[in-house]
Amino acid sequence: MHSNHLLLEEPIRMASILESSKSTFFPAMSRIVGTLGINSQSVETISACLKAGMSVARFDFSWGDAEFHQKTLENLKIAIKRTKKLCAVMLDTVGPELQVVNKSERPVSLQEETLVVLTPDQDKEATSNLLPINFSGLSKVVKKGDTIFIGQYLFTGSETTSVWLEVTEVNGEEVVCLIKNSATLSGPLYTLHVSQIRIDLPTLTDKDKEVISTWGVRNNIDFLSLSYTRHAEDVRLAREFLSKLGDLNQTQIFAKIENVEGLNHFDEILQEADGIILSRGNLGIDLPPEKVFLFQKAAVYKCNMAGKPAVVTRVVDSMTDNLRPTRAEATDVANAILDGSDAILLGAETLRGLYPVETISIVGKICAEAEKVFNQDLYFKRAVKYVGEPMTHLESIASSAVRAAIKVKASVIICFTSSGRAARLIAKYRPTMPVLSVVIPRVKTNQLRWKFSGAFEARQSLIVRGLFPMLADPRHPAESTGATNESILKVALDYGKSSGVIKSHDRLVICQKIGDASVVKIIELED
């Protein structure tokens, strides 16, 4: 993106850099996904994370058992009630992840230019020259000269905590490697990644299926983060599995792109998935470092044009141990937002980091500043041109609502929706003002009991940039006219006023369905 595309008018921006950032009810339009765990399990910490701007809680089953994650989730529910802040739940699968197994949990020191053997015999103890792994097929897929990376959660790639290996020999089921840098591996779990090599394991493993069908079903998960997605078929098989699990047929699937294979099939995966997570930790190992930014920009653009959320990971790794991000990390967060990302995903920073709340707060502030100079006009023109003509009915309404809101300088767009699709389409055009998505529940019955839908749809918009949901009274039907819509609108306006988003004399754009017609109208508030 060239600098002349940004709205960085030198005289204005240079003068405003030293101004303190104004706090608002919505800290940023962009969303923050926080991974909950060891240092973010208490009700108090989770409450502070919600207040700081976390809108999606991620539960990573690469570590920890279901009981631990359940306790964390129960605390999240208490925190949601206390703070009155909505939060969605994301289950992150393990997938075909290769791991070094260290049952003793004693630190293992590896010395540069010495040899280490990777063995599938997990009964053996991890030592400086022998590392047990959880995959017996490694010797069949690697060859002399291949690169292998080992690190804790692929955390930083730091030379002191992570190690690069070069395959020198394959001996039966064992792989002999030359250690390229000295490092100390500590803890029970290290991830192992073989650069640009296909691992013949299912994307949705038996362990993943068990977790989803028990923990996932019990907790009505909103999002499934599908680790190591390599083909569109991976998403289809996961969706087929979810469809058999009651309410999880509504769960959205976010494909995690973590290697070259997923990159090669990106377009088909995007078409099949509900959203994309750019897992830059593994991608940064599978791709040459100088190519990672190109993939990020290309992938985010494709997601934007498809109207599907793009989530970027691994942005402020240093905040796992430090109170402030590096200058490069702060710039990285801003560039992700300027590229068009919907959300930033925090992993180790909030899971086991020392400053989970501060990390969320700082990332949110950087996002808010980047949004101020995001060139919405250029983005809007690109999106409209990409969609082409003739537009679908809904696409036309959504783009018209955003254009009208910007022309009249509306303070907010209010969208009435039952499926959430209309609100997501409006957000696709990246309006400069918040979109209040009023989700009107639908009544369902299986002839034995009545049930209201809408909670899923409301929570699932919490990963979309600029979309802020509220659930309407279920007594109001989805297809309605007159007084019913007016009463729901009044509730939405009251919410906007109480949160400080809407003030007297503000102009608002309302997008709603009346009968078979979709209507965009502009209203101006009185005193």
Side-chain angles (χ1 to χ4, degrees), residues 448-484:
L448 293 175
R449 64 192 180 109
W450 292 91
K451 189 178 177 185
F452 294 107
S453 71
F456 261 110
E457 290 82 356
R459 292 192 302 267
Q460 284 169 343
S461 61
L462 290 168
I463 204 165
V464 180
R465 179 162 158 179
L467 209 49
F468 299 91
M470 57 181 289
L471 198 56
D473 190 322
R475 289 169 296 184
H476 293 143
E479 307 296 331
S480 55
T481 56
T484 306

PDB file of all heavy atoms in Angstrom, residues 448-484:
ATOM      1  N   LEU A 448     -42.019 -30.230  20.215  1.00  0.00           N
ATOM      2  CA  LEU A 448     -41.970 -30.608  21.635  1.00  0.00           C
ATOM      3  C   LEU A 448     -41.669 -29.397  22.501  1.00  0.00           C
ATOM      4  O   LEU A 448     -42.173 -29.263  23.605  1.00  0.00           O
ATOM      5  CB  LEU A 448     -40.898 -31.681  21.859  1.00  0.00           C
ATOM      6  CG  LEU A 448     -41.170 -33.055  21.232  1.00  0.00           C
ATOM      7  CD1 LEU A 448     -39.977 -33.978  21.438  1.00  0.00           C
ATOM      8  CD2 LEU A 448     -42.418 -33.682  21.860  1.00  0.00           C
ATOM      9  N   ARG A 449     -40.822 -28.498  21.973  1.00  0.00           N
ATOM     10  CA  ARG A 449     -40.523 -27.302  22.755  1.00  0.00           C
ATOM     11  C   ARG A 449     -40.203 -26.129  21.829  1.00  0.00           C
ATOM     12  O   ARG A 449     -39.775 -26.310  20.693  1.00  0.00           O
ATOM     13  CB  ARG A 449     -39.350 -27.549  23.714  1.00  0.00           C
ATOM     14  CG  ARG A 449     -38.028 -27.846  23.042  1.00  0.00           C
ATOM     15  CD  ARG A 449     -37.013 -28.354  24.066  1.00  0.00           C
ATOM     16  NE  ARG A 449     -35.737 -28.631  23.423  1.00  0.00           N
ATOM     17  CZ  ARG A 449     -34.647 -27.906  23.577  1.00  0.00           C
ATOM     18  NH1 ARG A 449     -34.670 -26.833  24.357  1.00  0.00           N
ATOM     19  NH2 ARG A 449     -33.516 -28.239  22.979  1.00  0.00           N
ATOM     20  N   TRP A 450     -40.432 -24.936  22.373  1.00  0.00           N
ATOM     21  CA  TRP A 450     -40.152 -23.710  21.640  1.00  0.00           C
ATOM     22  C   TRP A 450     -38.733 -23.255  21.981  1.00  0.00           C
ATOM     23  O   TRP A 450     -38.257 -23.442  23.090  1.00  0.00           O
ATOM     24  CB  TRP A 450     -41.148 -22.605  22.015  1.00  0.00           C
ATOM     25  CG  TRP A 450     -42.524 -22.905  21.556  1.00  0.00           C
ATOM     26  CD1 TRP A 450     -43.500 -23.561  22.240  1.00  0.00           C
ATOM     27  CD2 TRP A 450     -43.081 -22.575  20.287  1.00  0.00           C
ATOM     28  NE1 TRP A 450     -44.636 -23.674  21.474  1.00  0.00           N
ATOM     29  CE2 TRP A 450     -44.411 -23.069  20.264  1.00  0.00           C
ATOM     30  CE3 TRP A 450     -42.592 -21.921  19.153  1.00  0.00           C
ATOM     31  CZ2 TRP A 450     -45.242 -22.912  19.173  1.00  0.00           C
ATOM     32  CZ3 TRP A 450     -43.428 -21.766  18.069  1.00  0.00           C
ATOM     33  CH2 TRP A 450     -44.741 -22.266  18.087  1.00  0.00           C
ATOM     34  N   LYS A 451     -38.096 -22.634  21.013  1.00  0.00           N
ATOM     35  CA  LYS A 451     -36.721 -22.211  21.234  1.00  0.00           C
ATOM     36  C   LYS A 451     -36.445 -20.920  20.453  1.00  0.00           C
ATOM     37  O   LYS A 451     -36.915 -20.770  19.324  1.00  0.00           O
ATOM     38  CB  LYS A 451     -35.773 -23.322  20.759  1.00  0.00           C
ATOM     39  CG  LYS A 451     -34.331 -23.109  21.109  1.00  0.00           C
ATOM     40  CD  LYS A 451     -33.550 -24.316  20.612  1.00  0.00           C
ATOM     41  CE  LYS A 451     -32.076 -24.120  20.872  1.00  0.00           C
ATOM     42  NZ  LYS A 451     -31.285 -25.211  20.298  1.00  0.00           N
ATOM     43  N   PHE A 452     -35.696 -20.000  21.070  1.00  0.00           N
ATOM     44  CA  PHE A 452     -35.324 -18.762  20.386  1.00  0.00           C
ATOM     45  C   PHE A 452     -33.884 -18.850  19.893  1.00  0.00           C
ATOM     46  O   PHE A 452     -32.993 -19.278  20.629  1.00  0.00           O
ATOM     47  CB  PHE A 452     -35.447 -17.563  21.346  1.00  0.00           C
ATOM     48  CG  PHE A 452     -36.848 -17.274  21.761  1.00  0.00           C
ATOM     49  CD1 PHE A 452     -37.280 -17.563  23.051  1.00  0.00           C
ATOM     50  CD2 PHE A 452     -37.747 -16.708  20.868  1.00  0.00           C
ATOM     51  CE1 PHE A 452     -38.578 -17.303  23.434  1.00  0.00           C
ATOM     52  CE2 PHE A 452     -39.051 -16.438  21.254  1.00  0.00           C
ATOM     53  CZ  PHE A 452     -39.462 -16.733  22.539  1.00  0.00           C
ATOM     54  N   SER A 453     -33.657 -18.462  18.624  1.00  0.00           N
ATOM     55  CA  SER A 453     -32.284 -18.367  18.122  1.00  0.00           C
ATOM     56  C   SER A 453     -31.907 -16.896  18.099  1.00  0.00           C
ATOM     57  O   SER A 453     -32.767 -16.025  18.092  1.00  0.00           O
ATOM     58  CB  SER A 453     -32.189 -18.949  16.719  1.00  0.00           C
ATOM     59  OG  SER A 453     -32.833 -18.082  15.804  1.00  0.00           O
ATOM     60  N   GLY A 454     -30.633 -16.619  18.063  1.00  0.00           N
ATOM     61  CA  GLY A 454     -30.185 -15.223  18.015  1.00  0.00           C
ATOM     62  C   GLY A 454     -28.913 -15.000  18.810  1.00  0.00           C
ATOM     63  O   GLY A 454     -28.088 -14.158  18.450  1.00  0.00           O
ATOM     64  N   ALA A 455     -28.731 -15.745  19.893  1.00  0.00           N
ATOM     65  CA  ALA A 455     -27.544 -15.565  20.733  1.00  0.00           C
ATOM     66  C   ALA A 455     -26.270 -15.889  19.953  1.00  0.00           C
ATOM     67  O   ALA A 455     -25.276 -15.161  20.023  1.00  0.00           O
ATOM     68  CB  ALA A 455     -27.653 -16.426  21.991  1.00  0.00           C
ATOM     69  N   PHE A 456     -26.304 -16.989  19.184  1.00  0.00           N
ATOM     70  CA  PHE A 456     -25.154 -17.364  18.350  1.00  0.00           C
ATOM     71  C   PHE A 456     -24.809 -16.222  17.404  1.00  0.00           C
ATOM     72  O   PHE A 456     -23.661 -15.796  17.301  1.00  0.00           O
ATOM     73  CB  PHE A 456     -25.477 -18.616  17.518  1.00  0.00           C
ATOM     74  CG  PHE A 456     -24.936 -19.897  18.084  1.00  0.00           C
ATOM     75  CD1 PHE A 456     -25.788 -20.846  18.622  1.00  0.00           C
ATOM     76  CD2 PHE A 456     -23.582 -20.178  18.068  1.00  0.00           C
ATOM     77  CE1 PHE A 456     -25.308 -22.041  19.134  1.00  0.00           C
ATOM     78  CE2 PHE A 456     -23.075 -21.359  18.576  1.00  0.00           C
ATOM     79  CZ  PHE A 456     -23.951 -22.297  19.111  1.00  0.00           C
ATOM     80  N   GLU A 457     -25.838 -15.747  16.683  1.00  0.00           N
ATOM     81  CA  GLU A 457     -25.628 -14.711  15.664  1.00  0.00           C
ATOM     82  C   GLU A 457     -25.050 -13.436  16.281  1.00  0.00           C
ATOM     83  O   GLU A 457     -24.199 -12.777  15.672  1.00  0.00           O
ATOM     84  CB  GLU A 457     -26.942 -14.395  14.947  1.00  0.00           C
ATOM     85  CG  GLU A 457     -27.446 -15.514  14.042  1.00  0.00           C
ATOM     86  CD  GLU A 457     -28.205 -16.614  14.791  1.00  0.00           C
ATOM     87  OE1 GLU A 457     -28.279 -16.565  16.034  1.00  0.00           O
ATOM     88  OE2 GLU A 457     -28.711 -17.529  14.126  1.00  0.00           O
ATOM     89  N   ALA A 458     -25.534 -13.089  17.478  1.00  0.00           N
ATOM     90  CA  ALA A 458     -25.033 -11.886  18.151  1.00  0.00           C
ATOM     91  C   ALA A 458     -23.563 -12.045  18.524  1.00  0.00           C
ATOM     92  O   ALA A 458     -22.727 -11.179  18.234  1.00  0.00           O
ATOM     93  CB  ALA A 458     -25.870 -11.592  19.396  1.00  0.00           C
ATOM     94  N   ARG A 459     -23.237 -13.178  19.146  1.00  0.00           N
ATOM     95  CA  ARG A 459     -21.845 -13.383  19.597  1.00  0.00           C
ATOM     96  C   ARG A 459     -20.883 -13.523  18.419  1.00  0.00           C
ATOM     97  O   ARG A 459     -19.735 -13.088  18.494  1.00  0.00           O
ATOM     98  CB  ARG A 459     -21.752 -14.613  20.501  1.00  0.00           C
ATOM     99  CG  ARG A 459     -22.447 -14.456  21.848  1.00  0.00           C
ATOM    100  CD  ARG A 459     -22.057 -15.579  22.794  1.00  0.00           C
ATOM    101  NE  ARG A 459     -22.376 -16.896  22.247  1.00  0.00           N
ATOM    102  CZ  ARG A 459     -23.506 -17.559  22.471  1.00  0.00           C
ATOM    103  NH1 ARG A 459     -24.435 -17.013  23.241  1.00  0.00           N
ATOM    104  NH2 ARG A 459     -23.721 -18.749  21.948  1.00  0.00           N
ATOM    105  N   GLN A 460     -21.357 -14.126  17.330  1.00  0.00           N
ATOM    106  CA  GLN A 460     -20.455 -14.352  16.194  1.00  0.00           C
ATOM    107  C   GLN A 460     -20.062 -13.067  15.471  1.00  0.00           C
ATOM    108  O   GLN A 460     -19.096 -13.058  14.714  1.00  0.00           O
ATOM    109  CB  GLN A 460     -21.084 -15.354  15.223  1.00  0.00           C
ATOM    110  CG  GLN A 460     -20.993 -16.786  15.741  1.00  0.00           C
ATOM    111  CD  GLN A 460     -21.821 -17.774  14.952  1.00  0.00           C
ATOM    112  OE1 GLN A 460     -22.721 -17.392  14.205  1.00  0.00           O
ATOM    113  NE2 GLN A 460     -21.551 -19.053  15.124  1.00  0.00           N
ATOM    114  N   SER A 461     -20.782 -11.986  15.726  1.00  0.00           N
ATOM    115  CA  SER A 461     -20.384 -10.715  15.107  1.00  0.00           C
ATOM    116  C   SER A 461     -19.264 -10.040  15.904  1.00  0.00           C
ATOM    117  O   SER A 461     -18.716  -9.024  15.478  1.00  0.00           O
ATOM    118  CB  SER A 461     -21.586  -9.775  15.000  1.00  0.00           C
ATOM    119  OG  SER A 461     -22.103  -9.487  16.275  1.00  0.00           O
ATOM    120  N   LEU A 462     -18.909 -10.637  17.051  1.00  0.00           N
ATOM    121  CA  LEU A 462     -17.883 -10.033  17.913  1.00  0.00           C
ATOM    122  C   LEU A 462     -16.468 -10.213  17.385  1.00  0.00           C
ATOM    123  O   LEU A 462     -15.508  -9.775  18.010  1.00  0.00           O
ATOM    124  CB  LEU A 462     -17.974 -10.628  19.331  1.00  0.00           C
ATOM    125  CG  LEU A 462     -19.206 -10.226  20.133  1.00  0.00           C
ATOM    126  CD1 LEU A 462     -19.346 -11.094  21.372  1.00  0.00           C
ATOM    127  CD2 LEU A 462     -19.127  -8.755  20.530  1.00  0.00           C
ATOM    128  N   ILE A 463     -16.325 -10.864  16.230  1.00  0.00           N
ATOM    129  CA  ILE A 463     -14.996 -11.015  15.620  1.00  0.00           C
ATOM    130  C   ILE A 463     -14.900 -10.184  14.346  1.00  0.00           C
ATOM    131  O   ILE A 463     -13.875 -10.159  13.681  1.00  0.00           O
ATOM    132  CB  ILE A 463     -14.712 -12.510  15.331  1.00  0.00           C
ATOM    133  CG1 ILE A 463     -13.205 -12.774  15.271  1.00  0.00           C
ATOM    134  CG2 ILE A 463     -15.412 -12.986  14.049  1.00  0.00           C
ATOM    135  CD1 ILE A 463     -12.826 -14.242  15.350  1.00  0.00           C
ATOM    136  N   VAL A 464     -15.990  -9.459  14.032  1.00  0.00           N
ATOM    137  CA  VAL A 464     -16.049  -8.645  12.803  1.00  0.00           C
ATOM    138  C   VAL A 464     -15.751  -7.188  13.147  1.00  0.00           C
ATOM    139  O   VAL A 464     -16.362  -6.618  14.047  1.00  0.00           O
ATOM    140  CB  VAL A 464     -17.440  -8.752  12.135  1.00  0.00           C
ATOM    141  CG1 VAL A 464     -17.485  -7.909  10.868  1.00  0.00           C
ATOM    142  CG2 VAL A 464     -17.776 -10.196  11.835  1.00  0.00           C
ATOM    143  N   ARG A 465     -14.841  -6.607  12.424  1.00  0.00           N
ATOM    144  CA  ARG A 465     -14.435  -5.206  12.678  1.00  0.00           C
ATOM    145  C   ARG A 465     -15.614  -4.250  12.520  1.00  0.00           C
ATOM    146  O   ARG A 465     -16.336  -4.276  11.522  1.00  0.00           O
ATOM    147  CB  ARG A 465     -13.324  -4.840  11.693  1.00  0.00           C
ATOM    148  CG  ARG A 465     -12.790  -3.425  11.794  1.00  0.00           C
ATOM    149  CD  ARG A 465     -11.466  -3.388  11.096  1.00  0.00           C
ATOM    150  NE  ARG A 465     -11.039  -2.083  10.646  1.00  0.00           N
ATOM    151  CZ  ARG A 465      -9.887  -1.868  10.020  1.00  0.00           C
ATOM    152  NH1 ARG A 465      -9.082  -2.879   9.770  1.00  0.00           N
ATOM    153  NH2 ARG A 465      -9.547  -0.661   9.621  1.00  0.00           N
ATOM    154  N   GLY A 466     -15.815  -3.439  13.534  1.00  0.00           N
ATOM    155  CA  GLY A 466     -16.829  -2.386  13.479  1.00  0.00           C
ATOM    156  C   GLY A 466     -18.231  -2.808  13.829  1.00  0.00           C
ATOM    157  O   GLY A 466     -19.146  -1.984  13.834  1.00  0.00           O
ATOM    158  N   LEU A 467     -18.440  -4.094  14.128  1.00  0.00           N
ATOM    159  CA  LEU A 467     -19.786  -4.619  14.383  1.00  0.00           C
ATOM    160  C   LEU A 467     -19.997  -4.801  15.891  1.00  0.00           C
ATOM    161  O   LEU A 467     -19.226  -5.510  16.543  1.00  0.00           O
ATOM    162  CB  LEU A 467     -19.942  -5.956  13.665  1.00  0.00           C
ATOM    163  CG  LEU A 467     -21.333  -6.381  13.187  1.00  0.00           C
ATOM    164  CD1 LEU A 467     -22.020  -5.276  12.423  1.00  0.00           C
ATOM    165  CD2 LEU A 467     -21.210  -7.627  12.326  1.00  0.00           C
ATOM    166  N   PHE A 468     -21.030  -4.178  16.427  1.00  0.00           N
ATOM    167  CA  PHE A 468     -21.306  -4.252  17.863  1.00  0.00           C
ATOM    168  C   PHE A 468     -22.743  -4.738  18.056  1.00  0.00           C
ATOM    169  O   PHE A 468     -23.694  -4.019  17.744  1.00  0.00           O
ATOM    170  CB  PHE A 468     -21.085  -2.887  18.515  1.00  0.00           C
ATOM    171  CG  PHE A 468     -19.664  -2.414  18.365  1.00  0.00           C
ATOM    172  CD1 PHE A 468     -19.292  -1.636  17.278  1.00  0.00           C
ATOM    173  CD2 PHE A 468     -18.688  -2.782  19.282  1.00  0.00           C
ATOM    174  CE1 PHE A 468     -17.982  -1.229  17.108  1.00  0.00           C
ATOM    175  CE2 PHE A 468     -17.376  -2.374  19.129  1.00  0.00           C
ATOM    176  CZ  PHE A 468     -17.016  -1.594  18.038  1.00  0.00           C
ATOM    177  N   PRO A 469     -22.918  -5.966  18.545  1.00  0.00           N
ATOM    178  CA  PRO A 469     -24.252  -6.572  18.587  1.00  0.00           C
ATOM    179  C   PRO A 469     -25.037  -6.269  19.853  1.00  0.00           C
ATOM    180  O   PRO A 469     -24.469  -6.009  20.914  1.00  0.00           O
ATOM    181  CB  PRO A 469     -23.922  -8.071  18.527  1.00  0.00           C
ATOM    182  CG  PRO A 469     -22.628  -8.175  19.263  1.00  0.00           C
ATOM    183  CD  PRO A 469     -21.868  -6.918  18.954  1.00  0.00           C
ATOM    184  N   MET A 470     -26.346  -6.304  19.716  1.00  0.00           N
ATOM    185  CA  MET A 470     -27.235  -6.331  20.873  1.00  0.00           C
ATOM    186  C   MET A 470     -28.405  -7.232  20.513  1.00  0.00           C
ATOM    187  O   MET A 470     -28.843  -7.271  19.360  1.00  0.00           O
ATOM    188  CB  MET A 470     -27.688  -4.932  21.277  1.00  0.00           C
ATOM    189  CG  MET A 470     -28.388  -4.140  20.202  1.00  0.00           C
ATOM    190  SD  MET A 470     -28.869  -2.493  20.782  1.00  0.00           S
ATOM    191  CE  MET A 470     -30.197  -2.908  21.908  1.00  0.00           C
ATOM    192  N   LEU A 471     -28.869  -8.006  21.474  1.00  0.00           N
ATOM    193  CA  LEU A 471     -29.931  -8.981  21.239  1.00  0.00           C
ATOM    194  C   LEU A 471     -31.270  -8.352  21.593  1.00  0.00           C
ATOM    195  O   LEU A 471     -31.473  -7.881  22.719  1.00  0.00           O
ATOM    196  CB  LEU A 471     -29.686 -10.233  22.083  1.00  0.00           C
ATOM    197  CG  LEU A 471     -30.423 -11.515  21.697  1.00  0.00           C
ATOM    198  CD1 LEU A 471     -30.149 -11.895  20.258  1.00  0.00           C
ATOM    199  CD2 LEU A 471     -30.026 -12.651  22.631  1.00  0.00           C
ATOM    200  N   ALA A 472     -32.194  -8.314  20.621  1.00  0.00           N
ATOM    201  CA  ALA A 472     -33.513  -7.713  20.851  1.00  0.00           C
ATOM    202  C   ALA A 472     -34.384  -8.642  21.687  1.00  0.00           C
ATOM    203  O   ALA A 472     -34.074  -9.820  21.881  1.00  0.00           O
ATOM    204  CB  ALA A 472     -34.182  -7.408  19.514  1.00  0.00           C
ATOM    205  N   ASP A 473     -35.480  -8.109  22.170  1.00  0.00           N
ATOM    206  CA  ASP A 473     -36.460  -8.886  22.931  1.00  0.00           C
ATOM    207  C   ASP A 473     -37.016 -10.000  22.043  1.00  0.00           C
ATOM    208  O   ASP A 473     -37.519  -9.728  20.945  1.00  0.00           O
ATOM    209  CB  ASP A 473     -37.591  -7.951  23.362  1.00  0.00           C
ATOM    210  CG  ASP A 473     -38.541  -8.612  24.371  1.00  0.00           C
ATOM    211  OD1 ASP A 473     -38.813  -9.818  24.213  1.00  0.00           O
ATOM    212  OD2 ASP A 473     -39.003  -7.923  25.286  1.00  0.00           O
ATOM    213  N   PRO A 474     -36.940 -11.265  22.476  1.00  0.00           N
ATOM    214  CA  PRO A 474     -37.403 -12.373  21.622  1.00  0.00           C
ATOM    215  C   PRO A 474     -38.900 -12.341  21.318  1.00  0.00           C
ATOM    216  O   PRO A 474     -39.366 -13.057  20.436  1.00  0.00           O
ATOM    217  CB  PRO A 474     -37.044 -13.620  22.444  1.00  0.00           C
ATOM    218  CG  PRO A 474     -36.864 -13.144  23.843  1.00  0.00           C
ATOM    219  CD  PRO A 474     -36.360 -11.733  23.739  1.00  0.00           C
ATOM    220  N   ARG A 475     -39.653 -11.507  22.023  1.00  0.00           N
ATOM    221  CA  ARG A 475     -41.093 -11.419  21.736  1.00  0.00           C
ATOM    222  C   ARG A 475     -41.370 -10.660  20.441  1.00  0.00           C
ATOM    223  O   ARG A 475     -42.465 -10.681  19.918  1.00  0.00           O
ATOM    224  CB  ARG A 475     -41.824 -10.738  22.901  1.00  0.00           C
ATOM    225  CG  ARG A 475     -41.899 -11.600  24.148  1.00  0.00           C
ATOM    226  CD  ARG A 475     -42.376 -10.813  25.347  1.00  0.00           C
ATOM    227  NE  ARG A 475     -41.426  -9.755  25.692  1.00  0.00           N
ATOM    228  CZ  ARG A 475     -41.567  -8.964  26.759  1.00  0.00           C
ATOM    229  NH1 ARG A 475     -42.629  -9.097  27.548  1.00  0.00           N
ATOM    230  NH2 ARG A 475     -40.683  -8.039  27.047  1.00  0.00           N
ATOM    231  N   HIS A 476     -40.324  -9.972  19.930  1.00  0.00           N
ATOM    232  CA  HIS A 476     -40.496  -9.235  18.678  1.00  0.00           C
ATOM    233  C   HIS A 476     -40.191 -10.150  17.501  1.00  0.00           C
ATOM    234  O   HIS A 476     -39.090 -10.677  17.400  1.00  0.00           O
ATOM    235  CB  HIS A 476     -39.544  -8.028  18.623  1.00  0.00           C
ATOM    236  CG  HIS A 476     -39.879  -6.989  19.648  1.00  0.00           C
ATOM    237  ND1 HIS A 476     -38.915  -6.280  20.305  1.00  0.00           N
ATOM    238  CD2 HIS A 476     -41.070  -6.577  20.141  1.00  0.00           C
ATOM    239  CE1 HIS A 476     -39.493  -5.439  21.160  1.00  0.00           C
ATOM    240  NE2 HIS A 476     -40.792  -5.604  21.069  1.00  0.00           N
ATOM    241  N   PRO A 477     -41.111 -10.354  16.585  1.00  0.00           N
ATOM    242  CA  PRO A 477     -40.851 -11.233  15.437  1.00  0.00           C
ATOM    243  C   PRO A 477     -39.825 -10.636  14.486  1.00  0.00           C
ATOM    244  O   PRO A 477     -39.643  -9.424  14.440  1.00  0.00           O
ATOM    245  CB  PRO A 477     -42.223 -11.353  14.766  1.00  0.00           C
ATOM    246  CG  PRO A 477     -42.971 -10.127  15.195  1.00  0.00           C
ATOM    247  CD  PRO A 477     -42.482  -9.789  16.565  1.00  0.00           C
ATOM    248  N   ALA A 478     -39.144 -11.513  13.734  1.00  0.00           N
ATOM    249  CA  ALA A 478     -38.101 -11.063  12.812  1.00  0.00           C
ATOM    250  C   ALA A 478     -38.668 -10.217  11.682  1.00  0.00           C
ATOM    251  O   ALA A 478     -38.092  -9.217  11.291  1.00  0.00           O
ATOM    252  CB  ALA A 478     -37.358 -12.270  12.241  1.00  0.00           C
ATOM    253  N   GLU A 479     -39.789 -10.632  11.137  1.00  0.00           N
ATOM    254  CA  GLU A 479     -40.425  -9.862  10.061  1.00  0.00           C
ATOM    255  C   GLU A 479     -41.507  -9.006  10.712  1.00  0.00           C
ATOM    256  O   GLU A 479     -42.527  -9.502  11.146  1.00  0.00           O
ATOM    257  CB  GLU A 479     -41.063 -10.810   9.038  1.00  0.00           C
ATOM    258  CG  GLU A 479     -40.125 -11.870   8.497  1.00  0.00           C
ATOM    259  CD  GLU A 479     -38.978 -11.269   7.708  1.00  0.00           C
ATOM    260  OE1 GLU A 479     -39.184 -10.194   7.122  1.00  0.00           O
ATOM    261  OE2 GLU A 479     -37.898 -11.865   7.688  1.00  0.00           O
ATOM    262  N   SER A 480     -41.241  -7.726  10.821  1.00  0.00           N
ATOM    263  CA  SER A 480     -42.191  -6.902  11.572  1.00  0.00           C
ATOM    264  C   SER A 480     -42.350  -5.537  10.933  1.00  0.00           C
ATOM    265  O   SER A 480     -41.592  -5.140  10.065  1.00  0.00           O
ATOM    266  CB  SER A 480     -41.712  -6.754  13.011  1.00  0.00           C
ATOM    267  OG  SER A 480     -40.398  -6.250  13.022  1.00  0.00           O
ATOM    268  N   THR A 481     -43.346  -4.810  11.382  1.00  0.00           N
ATOM    269  CA  THR A 481     -43.598  -3.476  10.843  1.00  0.00           C
ATOM    270  C   THR A 481     -43.992  -2.546  11.979  1.00  0.00           C
ATOM    271  O   THR A 481     -44.199  -2.968  13.115  1.00  0.00           O
ATOM    272  CB  THR A 481     -44.759  -3.506   9.823  1.00  0.00           C
ATOM    273  OG1 THR A 481     -45.917  -4.063  10.470  1.00  0.00           O
ATOM    274  CG2 THR A 481     -44.410  -4.342   8.615  1.00  0.00           C
ATOM    275  N   GLY A 482     -44.073  -1.276  11.621  1.00  0.00           N
ATOM    276  CA  GLY A 482     -44.658  -0.279  12.496  1.00  0.00           C
ATOM    277  C   GLY A 482     -44.153  -0.225  13.912  1.00  0.00           C
ATOM    278  O   GLY A 482     -42.973  -0.074  14.177  1.00  0.00           O
ATOM    279  N   ALA A 483     -45.083  -0.364  14.856  1.00  0.00           N
ATOM    280  CA  ALA A 483     -44.802  -0.144  16.271  1.00  0.00           C
ATOM    281  C   ALA A 483     -43.717  -1.064  16.814  1.00  0.00           C
ATOM    282  O   ALA A 483     -42.907  -0.663  17.648  1.00  0.00           O
ATOM    283  CB  ALA A 483     -46.084  -0.322  17.082  1.00  0.00           C
ATOM    284  N   THR A 484     -43.695  -2.305  16.330  1.00  0.00           N
ATOM    285  CA  THR A 484     -42.696  -3.257  16.830  1.00  0.00           C
ATOM    286  C   THR A 484     -41.294  -2.774  16.518  1.00  0.00           C
ATOM    287  O   THR A 484     -40.423  -2.711  17.387  1.00  0.00           O
ATOM    288  CB  THR A 484     -42.905  -4.647  16.199  1.00  0.00           C
ATOM    289  OG1 THR A 484     -44.249  -5.043  16.422  1.00  0.00           O
ATOM    290  CG2 THR A 484     -41.972  -5.672  16.806  1.00  0.00           C
TER     291      THR A 484
END
